[in-house]
Short mmCIF file of all heavy atoms in Angstrom, two decimals:
data_model
loop_
_atom_site.label_atom_id
_atom_site.label_comp_id
_atom_site.label_asym_id
_atom_site.label_seq_id
_atom_site.Cartn_x
_atom_site.Cartn_y
_atom_site.Cartn_z
N GLU A 1648 -85.27 2.04 4.49
CA GLU A 1648 -84.06 1.46 5.07
C GLU A 1648 -84.36 0.78 6.40
O GLU A 1648 -83.81 -0.29 6.70
CB GLU A 1648 -83.01 2.56 5.25
CG GLU A 1648 -81.69 2.10 5.88
CD GLU A 1648 -80.92 1.14 5.00
OE1 GLU A 1648 -81.28 0.98 3.80
OE2 GLU A 1648 -79.94 0.54 5.50
N VAL A 1649 -85.23 1.38 7.21
CA VAL A 1649 -85.58 0.77 8.50
C VAL A 1649 -86.24 -0.59 8.29
O VAL A 1649 -85.88 -1.58 8.95
CB VAL A 1649 -86.50 1.71 9.30
CG1 VAL A 1649 -87.13 0.97 10.48
CG2 VAL A 1649 -85.71 2.91 9.81
N PHE A 1650 -87.18 -0.66 7.38
CA PHE A 1650 -87.84 -1.94 7.13
C PHE A 1650 -86.89 -2.95 6.49
O PHE A 1650 -87.04 -4.16 6.69
CB PHE A 1650 -89.09 -1.74 6.28
CG PHE A 1650 -90.29 -1.28 7.06
CD1 PHE A 1650 -90.66 0.06 7.05
CD2 PHE A 1650 -91.02 -2.16 7.83
CE1 PHE A 1650 -91.75 0.50 7.77
CE2 PHE A 1650 -92.12 -1.74 8.56
CZ PHE A 1650 -92.49 -0.40 8.54
N ARG A 1651 -85.92 -2.46 5.72
CA ARG A 1651 -84.92 -3.39 5.17
C ARG A 1651 -84.06 -3.97 6.29
O ARG A 1651 -83.77 -5.19 6.30
CB ARG A 1651 -84.03 -2.67 4.17
CG ARG A 1651 -83.07 -3.59 3.42
CD ARG A 1651 -82.03 -2.81 2.66
NE ARG A 1651 -81.11 -2.11 3.53
CZ ARG A 1651 -80.08 -2.69 4.16
NH1 ARG A 1651 -79.84 -3.98 4.00
NH2 ARG A 1651 -79.29 -1.99 4.93
N LEU A 1652 -83.68 -3.14 7.25
CA LEU A 1652 -82.90 -3.63 8.37
C LEU A 1652 -83.71 -4.58 9.24
O LEU A 1652 -83.19 -5.59 9.74
CB LEU A 1652 -82.41 -2.45 9.21
CG LEU A 1652 -81.39 -1.51 8.54
CD1 LEU A 1652 -81.13 -0.29 9.41
CD2 LEU A 1652 -80.08 -2.25 8.26
N ILE A 1653 -84.99 -4.27 9.40
CA ILE A 1653 -85.86 -5.15 10.20
C ILE A 1653 -86.01 -6.51 9.54
O ILE A 1653 -86.06 -7.55 10.21
CB ILE A 1653 -87.23 -4.48 10.42
CG1 ILE A 1653 -87.09 -3.30 11.40
CG2 ILE A 1653 -88.26 -5.48 10.95
CD1 ILE A 1653 -88.37 -2.53 11.61
N SER A 1654 -86.06 -6.52 8.20
CA SER A 1654 -86.23 -7.79 7.48
C SER A 1654 -85.05 -8.73 7.68
O SER A 1654 -85.17 -9.94 7.49
CB SER A 1654 -86.43 -7.53 5.98
OG SER A 1654 -85.25 -6.99 5.41
N GLU A 1655 -83.89 -8.18 8.07
CA GLU A 1655 -82.72 -9.01 8.32
C GLU A 1655 -82.70 -9.58 9.74
O GLU A 1655 -81.84 -10.41 10.05
CB GLU A 1655 -81.45 -8.19 8.08
CG GLU A 1655 -81.31 -7.70 6.64
CD GLU A 1655 -80.11 -6.78 6.46
OE1 GLU A 1655 -79.48 -6.45 7.50
OE2 GLU A 1655 -79.81 -6.42 5.32
N LYS A 1656 -83.62 -9.13 10.56
CA LYS A 1656 -83.70 -9.62 11.94
C LYS A 1656 -84.67 -10.81 12.02
O LYS A 1656 -85.41 -11.09 11.09
CB LYS A 1656 -84.18 -8.49 12.86
CG LYS A 1656 -83.29 -7.24 12.82
CD LYS A 1656 -81.90 -7.53 13.34
CE LYS A 1656 -81.04 -6.25 13.33
NZ LYS A 1656 -79.68 -6.50 13.85
N PRO A 1657 -84.67 -11.52 13.16
CA PRO A 1657 -85.62 -12.65 13.31
C PRO A 1657 -87.05 -12.18 13.14
O PRO A 1657 -87.43 -11.10 13.63
CB PRO A 1657 -85.35 -13.13 14.75
CG PRO A 1657 -83.94 -12.71 15.02
CD PRO A 1657 -83.74 -11.41 14.29
N PRO A 1658 -87.89 -12.95 12.46
CA PRO A 1658 -89.29 -12.54 12.22
C PRO A 1658 -90.04 -12.33 13.53
O PRO A 1658 -89.89 -13.09 14.48
CB PRO A 1658 -89.87 -13.72 11.43
CG PRO A 1658 -88.68 -14.43 10.85
CD PRO A 1658 -87.57 -14.24 11.82
N GLY A 1659 -90.85 -11.28 13.54
CA GLY A 1659 -91.72 -11.02 14.69
C GLY A 1659 -91.05 -10.37 15.86
O GLY A 1659 -91.69 -10.15 16.89
N SER A 1660 -89.76 -10.02 15.75
CA SER A 1660 -89.07 -9.45 16.90
C SER A 1660 -89.19 -7.92 16.95
O SER A 1660 -88.74 -7.31 17.91
CB SER A 1660 -87.59 -9.85 16.88
OG SER A 1660 -86.99 -9.44 15.67
N TYR A 1661 -89.76 -7.31 15.89
CA TYR A 1661 -89.91 -5.86 15.85
C TYR A 1661 -91.33 -5.50 15.45
O TYR A 1661 -91.98 -6.19 14.68
CB TYR A 1661 -88.93 -5.24 14.83
CG TYR A 1661 -87.49 -5.34 15.26
CD1 TYR A 1661 -86.71 -6.45 14.91
CD2 TYR A 1661 -86.89 -4.35 16.03
CE1 TYR A 1661 -85.39 -6.55 15.29
CE2 TYR A 1661 -85.57 -4.44 16.41
CZ TYR A 1661 -84.83 -5.55 16.06
OH TYR A 1661 -83.53 -5.65 16.45
N TRP A 1662 -91.76 -4.38 15.99
CA TRP A 1662 -93.11 -3.87 15.74
C TRP A 1662 -92.99 -2.37 15.52
O TRP A 1662 -92.36 -1.65 16.32
CB TRP A 1662 -94.01 -4.20 16.94
CG TRP A 1662 -95.42 -3.75 16.80
CD1 TRP A 1662 -96.18 -3.71 15.67
CD2 TRP A 1662 -96.26 -3.27 17.85
NE1 TRP A 1662 -97.43 -3.25 15.93
CE2 TRP A 1662 -97.52 -2.97 17.28
CE3 TRP A 1662 -96.09 -3.08 19.22
CZ2 TRP A 1662 -98.58 -2.49 18.02
CZ3 TRP A 1662 -97.14 -2.61 19.95
CH2 TRP A 1662 -98.39 -2.31 19.35
N VAL A 1663 -93.55 -1.84 14.43
CA VAL A 1663 -93.34 -0.46 14.01
C VAL A 1663 -94.66 0.30 14.04
O VAL A 1663 -95.68 -0.17 13.53
CB VAL A 1663 -92.73 -0.37 12.59
CG1 VAL A 1663 -92.48 1.08 12.20
CG2 VAL A 1663 -91.43 -1.17 12.52
N GLU A 1664 -94.62 1.50 14.66
CA GLU A 1664 -95.77 2.40 14.69
C GLU A 1664 -95.36 3.76 14.14
O GLU A 1664 -94.19 4.13 14.20
CB GLU A 1664 -96.29 2.57 16.12
CG GLU A 1664 -96.80 1.30 16.76
CD GLU A 1664 -97.13 1.53 18.23
OE1 GLU A 1664 -96.19 1.85 18.99
OE2 GLU A 1664 -98.30 1.42 18.59
N VAL A 1665 -96.33 4.50 13.65
CA VAL A 1665 -96.05 5.82 13.09
C VAL A 1665 -97.05 6.83 13.63
O VAL A 1665 -98.23 6.51 13.83
CB VAL A 1665 -96.08 5.79 11.54
CG1 VAL A 1665 -97.44 5.35 11.03
CG2 VAL A 1665 -95.70 7.15 10.97
N SER A 1666 -96.56 8.04 13.88
CA SER A 1666 -97.43 9.16 14.26
C SER A 1666 -96.99 10.38 13.47
O SER A 1666 -95.80 10.52 13.15
CB SER A 1666 -97.37 9.44 15.76
OG SER A 1666 -96.06 9.88 16.12
N VAL A 1667 -97.95 11.25 13.13
CA VAL A 1667 -97.66 12.45 12.37
C VAL A 1667 -98.33 13.63 13.06
O VAL A 1667 -99.55 13.64 13.24
CB VAL A 1667 -98.17 12.34 10.91
CG1 VAL A 1667 -97.82 13.60 10.13
CG2 VAL A 1667 -97.59 11.11 10.23
N VAL A 1668 -97.54 14.62 13.46
CA VAL A 1668 -98.09 15.81 14.11
C VAL A 1668 -97.50 17.05 13.45
O VAL A 1668 -96.44 16.99 12.81
CB VAL A 1668 -97.79 15.83 15.62
CG1 VAL A 1668 -98.36 14.61 16.31
CG2 VAL A 1668 -96.28 15.96 15.87
N GLU A 1669 -98.20 18.16 13.57
CA GLU A 1669 -97.67 19.45 13.14
C GLU A 1669 -97.80 20.43 14.29
O GLU A 1669 -98.74 20.37 15.09
CB GLU A 1669 -98.39 19.97 11.90
CG GLU A 1669 -99.81 20.44 12.14
CD GLU A 1669 -100.38 21.19 10.93
OE1 GLU A 1669 -99.60 21.57 10.05
OE2 GLU A 1669 -101.61 21.39 10.90
N VAL A 1670 -96.83 21.34 14.38
CA VAL A 1670 -96.87 22.42 15.37
C VAL A 1670 -97.22 23.68 14.60
O VAL A 1670 -96.39 24.23 13.87
CB VAL A 1670 -95.53 22.56 16.10
CG1 VAL A 1670 -95.63 23.66 17.14
CG2 VAL A 1670 -95.12 21.25 16.75
N TYR A 1671 -98.46 24.12 14.76
CA TYR A 1671 -98.96 25.27 13.99
C TYR A 1671 -99.41 26.35 14.97
O TYR A 1671 -100.26 26.10 15.86
CB TYR A 1671 -100.13 24.84 13.11
CG TYR A 1671 -100.83 25.97 12.40
CD1 TYR A 1671 -100.19 26.69 11.40
CD2 TYR A 1671 -102.14 26.31 12.73
CE1 TYR A 1671 -100.83 27.73 10.75
CE2 TYR A 1671 -102.80 27.34 12.08
CZ TYR A 1671 -102.13 28.06 11.09
OH TYR A 1671 -102.77 29.09 10.45
N ASN A 1672 -98.86 27.53 14.84
CA ASN A 1672 -99.18 28.66 15.73
C ASN A 1672 -99.05 28.25 17.20
O ASN A 1672 -99.91 28.55 18.04
CB ASN A 1672 -100.58 29.20 15.45
CG ASN A 1672 -100.64 29.98 14.15
OD1 ASN A 1672 -99.62 30.20 13.50
ND2 ASN A 1672 -101.84 30.37 13.76
N ASN A 1673 -97.95 27.53 17.48
CA ASN A 1673 -97.62 27.08 18.83
C ASN A 1673 -98.68 26.14 19.41
O ASN A 1673 -98.87 26.08 20.62
CB ASN A 1673 -97.41 28.27 19.78
CG ASN A 1673 -96.51 27.91 20.95
OD1 ASN A 1673 -95.59 27.09 20.82
ND2 ASN A 1673 -96.78 28.49 22.11
N GLU A 1674 -99.36 25.40 18.56
CA GLU A 1674 -100.30 24.37 18.97
C GLU A 1674 -99.95 23.07 18.25
O GLU A 1674 -99.50 23.09 17.09
CB GLU A 1674 -101.75 24.76 18.63
CG GLU A 1674 -102.26 26.00 19.35
CD GLU A 1674 -102.47 25.78 20.85
OE1 GLU A 1674 -102.46 24.61 21.27
OE2 GLU A 1674 -102.62 26.78 21.57
N ILE A 1675 -100.17 21.94 18.94
CA ILE A 1675 -99.85 20.63 18.38
C ILE A 1675 -101.13 19.99 17.84
O ILE A 1675 -102.15 19.92 18.54
CB ILE A 1675 -99.20 19.72 19.44
CG1 ILE A 1675 -97.86 20.31 19.87
CG2 ILE A 1675 -99.00 18.31 18.91
CD1 ILE A 1675 -97.17 19.53 20.96
N PHE A 1676 -101.06 19.52 16.57
CA PHE A 1676 -102.21 18.89 15.94
C PHE A 1676 -101.83 17.48 15.49
O PHE A 1676 -100.79 17.27 14.87
CB PHE A 1676 -102.68 19.71 14.73
CG PHE A 1676 -103.29 21.03 15.10
CD1 PHE A 1676 -102.50 22.16 15.24
CD2 PHE A 1676 -104.66 21.12 15.33
CE1 PHE A 1676 -103.06 23.37 15.59
CE2 PHE A 1676 -105.23 22.34 15.69
CZ PHE A 1676 -104.43 23.47 15.82
#
Side-chain angles (χ1 to χ4, degrees):
E1648 179 66 12
V1649 167
F1650 279 101
R1651 187 192 67 79
L1652 293 173
I1653 289 177
S1654 67
E1655 298 175 353
K1656 303 296 182 179
S1660 57
Y1661 291 90
W1662 181 35
V1663 182
E1664 297 173 297
V1665 60
S1666 65
V1667 181
V1668 301
E1669 71 169 346
V1670 181
Y1671 173 68
N1672 287 354
N1673 205 33
E1674 297 290 347
I1675 296 177
F1676 291 89

